[in-house]
Amino acid sequence: MAQMCRKWIKREKFVGFPKRENLEIVEESLPPLEDGEILLEAVYLSVDPYMRYGRVYNRKDKDRDDIGLEMPGTQIARVIQSKNPKYDVNDLVLAYSGWVTHSISNGEKGIHKVPVNGSLPPSTRLGIIGMPGATAYFGLLDICKPIKEGETLLVNAAAGAVGSAVGQIGKIKGMRVVGFAGSDEKVTYLKSLGFDAAYNYKTVPSLEAAIKESCPNGVDVFFDNVGGDFFGTVLPLMNKKGRVAICGAIAEYNRKEPLSQTCPINHLILRKQLNVRGFIILDWVDDWDKAFSNMIFWIQDGDLKYRETVFTGFDKMFDAFMSLFEGTNIGKIIVKI
Amino acid sequence: MAQMCRKWIKREKFVGFPKRENLEIVEESLPPLEDGEILLEAVYLSVDPYMRYGRVYNRKDKDRDDIGLEMPGTQIARVIQSKNPKYDVNDLVLAYSGWVTHSISNGEKGIHKVPVNGSLPPSTRLGIIGMPGATAYFGLLDICKPIKEGETLLVNAAAGAVGSAVGQIGKIKGMRVVGFAGSDEKVTYLKSLGFDAAYNYKTVPSLEAAIKESCPNGVDVFFDNVGGDFFGTVLPLMNKKGRVAICGAIAEYNRKEPLSQTCPINHLILRKQLNVRGFIILDWVDDWDKAFSNMIFWIQDGDLKYRETVFTGFDKMFDAFMSLFEGTNIGKIIVKI
C-alpha cells in the first residue's frame, strides 16, 4: 500500500511578509521503497528564519522562489520502514526533508541518526544541540573570537533559539553580555539566563542610549541577528578591532524594496578596524559534534539553558514559521506532529 | 648653535577637503641633544591619505584635529648629530617625526635604520618596501587570503602606492586582476603592470557594467581603497565567501556630512557570507621585514614594479598631500628636501 505524504509547497513567491496563500499543502503518494532506502515519518519539524530564503537541501535550483518547490527544513523523523541494513524501524533521524510528513531517504545524504534515549530529548537536535546551537557556538567563538575576559557582547533577537545561546555562551566565556529582545517577558527571561543587561527594543526610548548605558566601555562583539537600522545604530558604538557576526537580518528578510547600494558604514569599519562577517553554519558541519559535546556538558552543569515553544499539528507549520517574524515566542520554535 | 626646525602644524580643523590655510609652517629652535639622543634631518618625506585623519605617532591625544598639532608622517632622515652610540652621523633612518625638517629622537621609539647602500633606493622605504607596500602585502595575503588560483581580485585607486602593489601581488599569486583608477594614463600604466583589465572610473559609462564585463565570474576579493558608492556598487557583485579588505575610504575622508547609520548592505554580507575587514598595517609591524624580503625578490625578478612621484622642497608638502585626493599622480608620492 502506497504511503501518503503531505507537504507544503510554494504557490507564489513571498513578497514582503509571507502570506498563508503563498503556500499550499498538497498530498501525494510516495513510491515503494527500493533497496537501500528508508521511509521516514516526521515527529518534530523545525521552523527557522532562513526558510524565508533558503531552499531544499541539495537542490541546485538557482531560484529559491521557484513555484512548486517544497519549503526547506529539518525534522526529527522516525524510520517506519527500512530496506537499508543500517537503519531499523523506530530509529530516529535528523533529516533535511523539508516541510513534509513522510519522505524517502537513501540513508546517506542529509540524514543523521539521533539517539532514541540520549541525555536530551530528540527535539533538542533541532535547537540547542542542532543548527541554532551550532550557529551560536561557532558564530560567537569562531567568528567573533572573544579575546579577553570581560569584553562586551551585544546580541539582538536575544530570546530566540540562537540569541539566547549566544548570550549564555558569552557568559560562560567571561564576557559582559547585553541582550535586546522584543517583549518585556523576553527581557525577564534574558535576565533569568544571567544576561548582565537586557532591553525591550520596542519600548526603549532610544536604542543608542540603551546601548551606551549598558555598554559603558563600548561594544567589542556584536552578534547581529536583526540587521537594518539596528546594525547601523550599533556600528558607531563598536570598539576598535570589534568583531561583528552577521548571523541573520530578520528585519530585512521581508523588505519589499531592493537593497540600497550606498554604505558609508564602510568608513566606520575602516576607522574602527572592524571585522564584519556573514556566515552560514553548514561550513562548520564537521565540527558540530565537538561543539555539542561541550554544550551538553554546559547544559548538564546548568550554565546553558534552553526553551522550546511547541506548535502541534502539521497544519500549524505556517503559523509557527510566521511567529519567527512576529517575535511572539521565546526560544526554539518547533512543530510536533 | 641651536638647530632650527621647520614644521607644518594645524591651525584649524580640516572641514571637507583640506585647505592650505588650515595649516601653517612654523619655525622653532630645537634644544641641545641630551645623552642618548640623535638629531635628524629629513631627506624624503611621505604623504599618505591617512594623514587626513591620523595623528602624530605615539601621541595619545584624543582629538586628532587638535589645533597646534604637527601633521603626522614618516620620513627618511639623515643623522646629523649623535649622542647615541648606536647611531653614526650620516646614518639613514626611517622616522615617525611628522612633517618636520629636523627632529630629535631617542633612537628607540618610532625609528628604524635604513641601509645607506641597500639594493633599493632609500625612498622606497616610504613606498614599495615601506608602509604602503606592507599594506598591500598583508592586506591582500592576510586579510583577503587568496584561496585558489584564478580568483578574481578587484582593486581601486589601483595606480596608487598601495593599489599598484596589490594588483601585482595578486598576479604573482595567480589571480585575475582588475583595476580601477582615475585617468587614462593610469589605465595604461596598470595594463603595463600586467593587470588583466583596467578602467578609468571617471569616464566609464557604468561602473557596474565595467565590473560585470571584466569580472565575468564575479569578484572573489575586493581590495577597497575608495569606499563610498564604489563599495556599494561592488558588494552586490561579490561571489559567495568573498573577502573585502577595507584599506582606505578616500572618497569619504573629505565628506562634510556625518556618516549615515543605515546600512542594508549587511544583508548582502550575510547572504554572500562575506568577510569585510578594516585594518591598519601597524598591527603587522613585526612581520614587515619578512614581507619586504619577498617583495625585494619580486622586484629584482621584475614581477613587482613601483613608481614614485617626487615633489621637491619642504614647502611642497601640502601640494603633495592634496595630490592624493586630486588623483593627479601615479605611484608613491614623496617630497624630497
Side-chain angles (χ1 to χ4, degrees), chain A residues 169-208:
Chain A
I169 296 172
K171 287 309 298 175
I172 289 167
K173 295 296 178 183
M175 307 182 86
R176 172 174 174 78
V177 176
V178 176
F180 284 81
S183 76
D184 292 347
E185 186 196 355
K186 289 178 179 178
V187 167
T188 304
Y189 177 61
L190 296 181
K191 288 181 174 164
S192 79
L193 295 179
F195 280 54
D196 297 287
Y199 294 88
N200 179 349
Y201 76 90
K202 288 182 179 166
T203 57
V204 85
S206 153
L207 184 57
E208 187 188 9

Side-chain angles (χ1 to χ4, degrees), chain A residues 244-291:
Chain A
V244 180
I246 303 193
C247 173
I250 204 162
E252 300 178 26
Y253 291 158
N254 301 306
R255 69 163 58 233
K256 290 184 184 174
E257 298 75 31
L259 293 167
S260 158
Q261 295 191 354
T262 305
C263 178
I265 289 287
N266 68 313
H267 196 186
L268 280 173
I269 296 175
L270 172 60
R271 291 186 68 178
K272 291 172 179 282
Q273 304 153 48
L274 304 180
N275 195 351
V276 182
R277 187 163 160 200
F279 71 104
I280 60 164
I281 195 58
L282 291 178
D283 289 348
W284 282 260
V285 75
D286 293 339
D287 296 320
W288 283 22
D289 281 341
K290 207 166 53 190

Side-chain angles (χ1 to χ4, degrees), chain B residues 84-133:
Chain B
N84 184 319
K86 292 191 215 143
Y87 294 87
D88 295 322
V89 169
N90 282 330
D91 276 355
L92 289 182
V93 296
L94 177 74
Y96 301 93
S97 305
W99 293 21
V100 302
T101 57
H102 295 82
S103 56
I104 291 172
S105 163
N106 64 7
E108 286 178 10
K109 277 213 138 179
I111 189 163
H112 303 275
K113 276 203 193 186
V114 169
V116 178
N117 291 304
S119 55
L120 295 172
S123 61
T124 55
R125 298 276 163 176
L126 300 176
I128 190 71
I129 54 167
M131 184 272 283

Side-chain angles (χ1 to χ4, degrees), chain A residues 53 55 64 208 224 226-229 231-233 236 240-241 246-249 252-253 255 259-280 283, chain B residues 53 55 64 208 224 226-229 231-233 236 240-241 246-249 252-253 255 259-280 283:
Chain A
Y53 281 110
R55 59 179 182 278
R64 299 173 172 215
E208 187 188 9
D224 188 16
V226 171
D229 292 340
F231 179 84
T233 304
K240 273 200 179 165
K241 303 204 179 163
I246 303 193
C247 173
E252 300 178 26
Y253 291 158
R255 69 163 58 233
L259 293 167
S260 158
Q261 295 191 354
T262 305
C263 178
I265 289 287
N266 68 313
H267 196 186
L268 280 173
I269 296 175
L270 172 60
R271 291 186 68 178
K272 291 172 179 282
Q273 304 153 48
L274 304 180
N275 195 351
V276 182
R277 187 163 160 200
F279 71 104
I280 60 164
D283 289 348
Chain B
Y53 280 109
R55 60 179 181 278
R64 298 172 174 218
E208 187 187 9
D224 188 17
V226 171
D229 291 340
F231 179 83
T233 304
K240 273 202 179 164
K241 302 202 180 168
I246 303 193
C247 172
E252 298 177 27
Y253 290 159
R255 69 163 57 233
L259 293 169
S260 159
Q261 295 190 356
T262 305
C263 178
I265 288 289
N266 69 314
H267 196 185
L268 279 172
I269 296 175
L270 172 61
R271 290 185 69 178
K272 291 172 179 284
Q273 304 154 48
L274 303 179
N275 194 351
V276 181
R277 185 165 161 200
F279 71 105
I280 61 165
D283 289 349

